[in-house]
Amino acid sequence: MRFVSFLLLLISILLYHYYSTYYSDDMGNETLPILIIGGGLAGLSATVEAATLEPSVKVILVDKEANIGGNSAKATSGINAMTEPGDSLDAFERDTLASGGGLSNPDLVHKLVHESEEALAWLKLQDPTLDLGVVSQCGGHTHPRTHRCPPAPDGRPVPVGFRTITALKDRIAQLSNVQVWTSTRVANIYPEEKRVRLVKEGETLDLDVSAVVLTSGGFAGQTQELQQPEGTKTLLSEYAPQLLNTATTNGPWANGDGVRLGLAAGAATKDMEHIQVHPSGFVDPNNPNSGSKFLAPEALRAYGAVMLNADGHRFADELSRRDVLTKSIFEANSRGRGHLPPDYASCYLVLTEPMIEQFGKATASFYAKKGLFVQCNGLDEVAAYIQVDPTQLKDEFTRYDMHVVERKNDTSVKAAPDAFGKTVFPNPITSDGTYWVGIITPCVHYTMGGLAINSEAAVMSSKTNNPIPGLFAAGEVTSGVHGRNRLAGNSLLECVVYGRTAGRSASLYASEN
């Protein structure tokens, strides 16, 4: 009997130290661990920053999924940073504010832009082998500033989101004061009581913490009315019911858990009704009504891809902002004609072989193997595929290429825009070689709204409009940076800039309190 009692006592002690280990500073004072909720790029950035700033404080990163990475691991367009000649901080800031349509917080945008180069350098510091040297100009940008990875030496594609996540995961594995708990769901947070309640391995656990950082993403992953598996109403159905049953590029884990935790703790929210519908999700011809779509990266259009309606005509500036381009696709009204699905708006995306080479043939070939690209030998085959007259299609391409030639012949003079306002023409579209043709449709992609934060990533109270002590947040769970519409590449940048800020703020708060 004594042995059983001793064994139970020993188990209790071990569990206590596993779940609630305190770290002591040089004065013998005990410091509670920092809890970071969400293992995407924002959470990983916060974890590394907090753990390295104060090595004596334990950092616990929890994620409800079996693997960390979240939507960040799926990112393909890149991460923004002002590094190219001719660009400027002012131009980058203007582009971001213009895209936000007057709803962005200027202070948050200023910080995002002015710390962009440092963010890129910090990522490379964590993993010197991380190569973000491919730079393209995406929609809404006045200069090239979106960085991604070149193909591997053997030609395999290197997705920027997955590669960046891998770099930070490897860095975290080197930090002795970090624990990562996967398959762990946070049920409640009580910042003022310095306590959280979570469910780990089927057991409910109350954990004492010094600070909480929410980095759990947005709520664009469940576009049905009811959330699965809980059966409660989705946040999307509450704030943007017009988008119910629209396809999404998100994983189902993006259901707004962090927003709900913040609301329950008294947090303010902002811009919850502003949901970004990305103009280019790939349509799988073998499963056109799938509710989940592969994103057709914006970099495809950055290298000159054109968009055609069912009649084989261009109808928009392919490098417009995402919201503008999405509206244009809906207005093109090409449903159910040719290969285009009858149930929702879509159009054709057409690239030449040189565009594909510049984008990355290995990545494009991956999409082709998935059935998302059809390869056509010459313009006549393109016309036959989309079921239009080849002469008419040739005329359309010739008109486009006139602008390409005009800018190539006289780079010193700003040429007039085309009929759709386009001023950047990366490559000619007329070619005797192979064309790559895909079908794209607008998809729910990103939630601009979320918890209100200040420039130190502190979550603001809905009652006092002051920071909630000990509660911080970063990434898509927050609001204020993107306003009505997010620029391509600013999401990964926000994750690093504000993830680091949140980790730093949480670490300082833990040390001072």
Side-chain angles (χ1 to χ4, degrees):
M1 190 70 179
R2 288 181 179 177
F3 176 75
V4 173
S5 299
F6 173 75
L7 186 61
L8 289 173
L9 177 62
L10 180 61
I11 291 172
S12 298
I13 292 172
L14 290 174
L15 284 172
Y16 173 81
H17 280 283
Y18 179 73
Y19 288 125
S20 303
T21 300
Y22 295 93
Y23 277 69
S24 298
D25 60 22
D26 293 338
M27 301 297 293
N29 298 315
E30 292 176 334
T31 303
L32 297 170
I34 295 169
L35 186 73
I36 297 175
I37 304 170
L41 183 57
L44 297 179
S45 299
T47 300
V48 172
E49 189 74 9
T52 53
L53 183 65
E54 186 50 73
S56 66
V57 177
K58 184 169 77 171
V59 180
I60 302 174
L61 173 66
V62 303
D63 196 288
K64 64 185 177 185
E65 297 298 308
N67 298 295
I68 59 177
N71 277 340
S72 301
K74 300 174 67 178
T76 54
S77 290
I79 178 170
N80 292 334
M82 193 214 76
T83 59
E84 297 300 292
D87 199 1
S88 70
L89 293 171
D90 286 344
F92 187 3
E93 197 164 340
R94 283 196 304 271
D95 290 349
T96 301
L97 289 171
S99 184
L103 292 183
S104 299
N105 182 321
D107 292 336
L108 298 184
V109 171
H110 184 81
K111 178 184 177 74
L112 179 85
V113 168
H114 282 254
E115 295 185 16
S116 63
E117 290 183 82
E118 180 186 344
L120 207 66
W122 181 82
L123 285 173
K124 293 178 181 178
L125 183 65
Q126 309 313 310
D127 181 356
T129 68
L130 177 62
D131 186 352
L132 296 169
V134 178
V135 184
S136 59
Q137 181 173 343
C138 293
H141 293 268
T142 53
H143 298 276
R145 59 172 74 101
T146 306
H147 297 247
R148 55 194 178 87
C149 305
D154 63 0
R156 289 182 297 108
V158 181
V160 60
F162 182 81
R163 178 66 182 87
T164 306
I165 289 292
T166 301
L168 292 190
K169 283 172 63 176
D170 292 346
R171 177 71 180 105
I172 284 173
Q174 302 168 3
L175 300 173
S176 60
N177 60 329
V178 175
Q179 290 184 3
V180 179
W181 298 352
T182 54
S183 302
T184 301
R185 184 176 62 84
V186 178
N188 297 99
I189 57 175
Y190 310 96
E192 294 184 2
E193 301 175 31
K194 294 189 174 182
R195 181 170 55 88
V196 298
R197 175 164 294 171
L198 25 76
V199 180
K200 180 176 174 62
E201 297 173 357
E203 296 186 7
T204 300
L205 168 70
D206 284 336
L207 179 71
D208 294 326
V209 296
S210 60
V212 175
V213 181
L214 288 167
T215 54
S216 50
F219 53 92
Q222 293 193 334
T223 60
Q224 305 300 311
E225 184 173 7
L226 296 180
Q227 185 166 306
Q228 301 300 325
E230 294 91 344
T232 57
K233 287 196 69 174
T234 62
L235 288 176
L236 192 81
S237 69
E238 292 183 35
Y239 291 99
Q242 75 278 8
L243 296 177
L244 285 176
N245 303 314
T246 304
T248 179
T249 62
N250 288 241
W253 53 79
N255 61 0
D257 282 347
V259 175
R260 295 182 190 274
L261 287 172
L263 286 170
T269 59
K270 184 177 183 291
D271 301 334
M272 291 288 285
E273 71 276 19
H274 292 292
I275 315 296
Q276 183 167 80
V277 179
H278 196 290
S280 54
F282 272 122
V283 176
D284 181 354
N286 296 314
N287 188 15
N289 291 321
S290 170
S292 179
K293 307 290 189 192
F294 274 98
L295 185 69
E298 197 148 338
L300 290 167
R301 288 179 276 118
Y303 291 111
V306 300
M307 300 187 333
L308 303 177
N309 61 19
D311 297 320
H313 292 298
R314 288 180 61 234
F315 56 90
D317 172 5
E318 290 84 359
L319 291 177
S320 297
R321 295 197 318 259
R322 289 175 174 178
D323 56 337
V324 174
L325 207 51
T326 291
K327 184 173 182 288
S328 297
I329 294 173
F330 279 112
E331 291 176 347
N333 193 26
S334 294
R335 301 182 187 209
R337 298 161 63 193
H339 293 276
L340 301 179
D343 300 321
Y344 52 84
S346 58
C347 67
Y348 295 103
L349 188 73
V350 182
L351 298 94
T352 63
E353 187 75 14
M355 295 175 190
I356 290 292
E357 293 286 351
Q358 291 177 34
F359 166 75
K361 193 164 186 178
T363 303
S365 297
F366 166 80
Y367 295 131
K369 288 178 182 177
K370 293 285 184 182
L372 306 177
F373 268 130
V374 172
Q375 291 168 266
C376 300
N377 185 21
L379 187 146
D380 285 349
E381 283 194 13
V382 176
Y385 176 69
I386 65 177
Q387 301 175 25
V388 298
D389 177 30
T391 302
Q392 176 262 307
L393 188 60
K394 181 178 180 180
D395 290 342
E396 187 74 27
F397 285 5
T398 299
R399 282 193 296 273
Y400 180 90
D401 287 344
M402 287 174 58
H403 292 278
V404 180
V405 173
E406 182 181 1
R407 281 153 180 77
K408 187 176 293 185
N409 290 342
D410 191 355
T411 58
S412 63
V413 178
K414 185 176 181 180
D418 73 356
F420 309 106
K422 188 167 187 172
T423 58
V424 177
F425 294 81
N427 283 297
I429 190 64
T430 302
S431 173
D432 294 328
T434 302
Y435 282 93
W436 296 59
V437 184
I439 299 172
I440 58 172
T441 184
C443 297
V444 172
H445 182 58
Y446 192 89
T447 49
M448 273 79 71
L451 305 177
I453 60 169
N454 65 13
S455 59
E456 296 306 314
V459 176
M460 309 304 287
S461 168
S462 61
K463 293 181 179 179
T464 66
N465 201 33
N466 292 319
I468 297 175
L471 183 59
F472 307 90
E476 196 178 354
V477 74
T478 69
S479 62
V481 171
H482 309 297
R484 295 181 188 276
N485 179 68
R486 177 177 66 77
L487 279 176
N490 269 356
S491 59
L492 293 186
L493 176 61
E494 178 191 25
C495 285
V496 177
V497 169
Y498 283 98
R500 292 185 66 203
T501 300
R504 185 163 55 247
S505 294
S507 183
L508 292 172
Y509 181 87
S511 300
E512 294 170 358
N513 294 273

